[in-house]
Amino acid sequence: MPDHDWTGGALQTFVSHLECSLTGERYPADQLHGLSRAGRPLLVRYDLDGIRRALPRAALASRPQTLWRYREMLPVRRPENVVALGEVVTPLVSLPRIASRLAKGGELLVKDEGRLPTGSFKARGLVLAVSMAKELGISHMAMPTNGNAGAAMAAYCARAGIKATVFCPDDTPAVNVREIAMQGAAVYLVDGLIDDCGKLVAEGEKTVGWFNCSTLREPYRIEGKKTMGIELAEQLGWEVPDVIFYPTGGGTGLIGMWKAFAELEAIGFIGSKRPQMVAVQAAGCAPMVRAFENGSEHAPRWEDAHTVASGIRVPRAIGDFLILRAVRESKGFAIAVTDEKISSALNEVAREEGLLLCPEGAATYAAYKQSLDDGRITKTDRVMLFNCATGLKYPLAKVDRTLDRHKPIDYAKL
Ligand SMILES: Cc1ncc(COP(=O)(O)O)c(C=O)c1O
């Protein structure tokens, strides 16, 4: 689908205002915003009755298979501001062998987000953030990143003609750093973690005047991530799964899906059933798990954060209370898995099912197994794991078997 006809013609939008996620204070739509006056994320609110009237479920049938099919539930007002790169509906890939081995009677599905532009689910958030930046006249965006978000911002900024500056920890996967640079952004390697990079972005905001596009400081990335929840419900025939395992760093996707389910119920697309939301973290960086277990509303910084799953190496999240609230309201839980379990989970799914996960996606499978063993979920559950990026971005197994084609080959020994 060419991106200029994504609306299919006329565009009706339903944003009514923005709202502080902590105090409920209202802010006008169609203006530039960062955090609320209370220093908390702003959430976009819609005229849901208007959407209910304008969008019967059946209307979706004839729309293209991209996230723009849910345009009434998204904030972009003018079609010319959409900077699409082909945000396809991502498939639900079943893991039938593993399910029959571990969970007789249950169903194990992977939402494979690696198929999106820039190879990760960050495309969903950034296509909305950059489209809204274009709509609001922003000319320079900056962000801290563990890799994939920076790559997606660079790509969409290139497309929109917006200048992009990106800061990432100096051990960010090389492929991410290079794809950011290839897509025209200025990228800097910083001797610290993502929150240290975030401080540089905030400081530069005052002097350079770039727009701070950090997770949840910018109100529209969450609206893009929300489409994961809408999409999976539609793919399941407007049902939700019993459990969702989500690899949680900043938590935008988890918070976004939780918001999506509430909006879908309000417009009459789904009922009151909710999945148990499970926040999956790495044992070397598990601030949400610690806060969940302590019964706290906020999650203090995790010191000495380390894990092979760099996307979830987020020591402190500004939306901590929103993540914990969604997990608790859904009767879900937060769970940590070791790097060893992440690596063996990655190998297991690749060898047994032919699906190459990213380390963060593998963490969700490791958490699924651990939760089955602990009895926190049941074998008959319909479970959805999130594979957030293509496994091809990450270091793969080394191959050392060579053949000299000029010598006789003993095929029987191969
Ligand atoms: C592959 C991957 N998985 C998971 C995450 C965490 O996502 P979120 O910020 O929505 O918690 C990231 C973020 O960088 C990521 O790149």
Side-chain angles (χ1 to χ4, degrees):
M1 178 194 61
D3 41 316
H4 59 267
D5 67 2
W6 65 277
T7 60
L11 176 61
Q12 250 190 309
T13 57
F14 294 87
V15 176
S16 55
H17 63 282
L18 280 71
E19 186 182 287
C20 172
S21 55
L22 188 70
T23 63
E25 189 187 1
R26 291 168 75 109
Y27 292 76
D30 308 309
Q31 291 180 10
L32 209 56
H33 294 294
L35 292 176
S36 71
R37 269 179 283 272
R40 298 295 175 182
L42 288 177
L43 299 176
V44 182
R45 295 299 180 206
Y46 297 83
D47 165 14
L48 294 169
D49 286 336
I51 298 179
R52 183 193 268 268
R53 283 192 298 273
L55 182 66
R57 261 179 10 189
L60 293 173
S62 59
R63 293 190 178 177
Q65 292 292 316
T66 78
L67 63 71
W68 300 106
R69 61 198 275 101
Y70 311 118
R71 58 192 177 244
E72 286 85 351
M73 300 176 77
L74 295 174
V76 186
R77 300 255 196 223
R78 290 189 294 279
E80 63 272 22
N81 292 326
V82 168
V83 286
L85 283 165
E87 295 69 35
V88 292
V89 168
T90 61
L92 298 181
V93 181
S94 65
L95 302 182
R97 284 221 181 102
I98 291 177
S100 70
R101 181 161 59 77
L102 298 180
K104 292 197 176 56
E107 197 181 352
L108 188 54
L109 299 167
V110 177
K111 184 125 177 88
D112 191 7
E113 297 281 291
R115 324 283 175 113
L116 283 159
T118 72
S120 90
F121 70 160
K122 297 288 179 183
R124 292 185 190 268
L126 271 307
V127 72
L128 261 299
V130 176
S131 297
M132 288 305 292
K134 193 173 166 198
E135 193 147 281
L136 296 168
I138 292 168
S139 58
H140 189 177
M141 300 177 83
M143 69 148 56
T145 182
N146 277 328
N148 286 317
M153 189 180 87
Y156 288 109
C157 277
R159 195 153 178 92
I162 292 176
K163 191 172 166 191
T165 305
V166 174
F167 299 87
C168 52
D170 54 11
D171 59 352
T172 298
V175 65
N176 287 136
V177 180
R178 290 178 190 175
E179 60 178 326
I180 295 168
M182 285 292 290
Q183 289 157 173
V187 54
Y188 298 94
L189 304 176
V190 178
D191 58 339
L193 296 177
I194 189 166
D195 55 344
D196 301 307
C197 297
K199 283 183 201 140
L200 303 185
V201 173
E203 278 165 28
E205 204 179 341
K206 288 171 223 139
T207 42
V208 187
W210 57 45
F211 180 74
N212 186 340
C213 193
S214 304
T215 305
L216 291 172
R217 282 180 189 273
E218 182 286 334
Y220 303 105
R221 283 172 66 179
I222 184 174
E223 294 305 294
K225 284 283 195 79
K226 178 178 92 175
T227 60
M228 295 190 293
I230 310 177
E231 217 174 271
L232 72 84
E234 186 181 11
Q235 287 171 307
L236 296 178
W238 300 111
E239 290 285 332
V240 294
D242 297 313
V243 193
I244 291 179
F245 283 86
Y246 183 80
T248 306
T252 329
L254 191 147
I255 302 165
M257 283 192 279
W258 196 242
K259 183 173 188 284
F261 298 141
E263 290 175 359
L264 286 174
E265 185 180 357
I267 65 169
F269 277 30
I270 64 169
S272 58
K273 180 183 165 181
R274 293 289 183 275
Q276 281 182 278
M277 303 298 286
V278 180
V280 178
Q281 298 205 299
C285 182
M288 295 305 146
V289 181
R290 186 172 59 190
F292 177 77
E293 283 168 2
N294 292 342
S296 333
E297 210 192 331
H298 291 278
R301 188 174 198 268
W302 186 276
E303 300 302 330
D304 302 321
H306 59 90
T307 167
V308 290
S310 51
I312 51 174
R313 194 182 57 176
V314 179
R316 179 171 34 201
I318 190 166
D320 54 358
F321 65 108
L322 296 172
I323 299 171
L324 290 161
R325 207 181 277 169
V327 166
R328 290 189 175 118
E329 280 175 16
S330 74
K331 302 193 173 38
F333 51 93
I335 181 169
V337 289
T338 62
D339 278 5
E340 294 70 40
K341 288 204 171 144
I342 293 176
S343 300
S344 54
L346 204 151
N347 287 330
E348 204 175 303
V349 177
R351 281 161 195 269
E352 212 168 324
E353 300 279 10
L355 184 64
L356 196 57
L357 301 173
C358 63
E360 297 78 5
T364 66
Y365 175 55
Y368 161 76
K369 293 212 301 183
Q370 207 162 292
S371 308
L372 265 183
D373 287 348
D374 297 348
R376 295 175 102 169
I377 60 168
T378 61
K379 290 190 174 196
T380 51
D381 282 332
R382 177 189 254 183
V383 173
M384 188 157 307
L385 311 178
F386 265 85
N387 184 47
C388 301
T390 167
L392 292 173
K393 286 200 189 199
Y394 302 89
L396 304 173
K398 287 208 178 81
V399 176
D400 49 18
R401 287 187 202 145
T402 56
L403 279 182
D404 183 344
R405 68 191 166 86
H406 301 293
K407 291 188 184 146
I409 295 173
D410 184 354
Y411 286 97
K413 282 200 178 145
L414 295 185

